[in-house]
Each structure stands twice: as C-alpha cells, then as structure tokens.
Amino acid sequence: GKEEFESWSAEYTIAKNVIDETKEEKMAEVGAKLEKGLDFVGLTAVEDRLQDGVPEAISTIKAMGIRIWVLTGDKTETAVDIAKSCQLFTDATTMAY
C-alpha cells in the first residue's frame, strides 16, 4: 500500500544520492524491490532504423581512408550494435572499452 511505497521511495532517494561508483547498482537493487508481482497490461518496442544508404556511405568513406569518429551518450553495447549495423565496425575491428 501507500506505506510500502513511501518506504521504498525513501530508500530509492537514498540510493539516488549515493556519490560513488555503487550508485547505479544501488538504484537497480532498490528498483528491483518494487518490480515484483507485476502483471503486464501491454508491451511496446521502438526500432530506430538507419536511413537508407547509410551503411554504404560509411563503407565508401572508410574505403577512401577517411577516419570516422563517433561520440555518443548510448550504452557501450548499444553504440557497438549501431556501429556494426552501419558498417562502421566490421568483424575485423578491434574494440577497446
């Protein structure tokens, strides 16, 4: 009920205010406490597709010897998946992260 949520909310606020490297982990742990016994009432997904010709254009630019740099706020896994889908990264690409 209401008291349970208020207790959870206070715990989550404490986790949000952590200022060390454990902040994300603590927020996830507290968040998981609330996400129990839920029933799905609907699901959705969004696919952000590349525009036509992007992979080919990037491949051509790379073949010309032009270096491409990418700056993103995405999670590493997301950024790597996007880089692979647009042929910025190939199977021969060495990744260091």
Side-chain angles (χ1 to χ4, degrees):
K2 184 177 179 180
E3 293 89 18
E4 182 181 1
F5 176 79
E6 288 174 353
S7 173
W8 175 88
S9 182
E11 189 177 353
Y12 189 77
T13 299
I14 291 168
K16 260 190 352 185
N17 290 323
V18 169
I19 56 172
D20 63 23
E21 65 278 351
T22 64
K23 177 179 182 171
E24 295 295 325
E25 180 183 344
K26 289 181 180 185
M27 287 175 58
E29 286 175 9
V30 176
K33 291 179 181 181
L34 187 67
E35 298 171 349
K36 292 184 178 176
L38 301 176
D39 294 322
F40 290 109
V41 293
L43 298 171
T44 187
V46 175
E47 183 178 2
D48 189 8
R49 293 181 176 224
L50 292 173
Q51 292 183 7
D52 290 339
V54 169
E56 295 81 8
I58 290 175
S59 184
T60 300
I61 291 168
K62 285 176 55 181
M64 295 169 59
I66 298 172
R67 294 178 70 180
I68 300 172
W69 290 62
V70 176
L71 178 63
T72 180
D74 287 324
K75 293 188 294 183
T76 302
E77 296 83 8
T78 304
V80 169
D81 286 344
I82 292 167
K84 286 181 178 177
S85 70
C86 69
Q87 297 181 14
L88 182 59
F89 292 173
T90 65
D91 292 336
T93 302
T94 301
M95 290 177 254
Y97 54 86

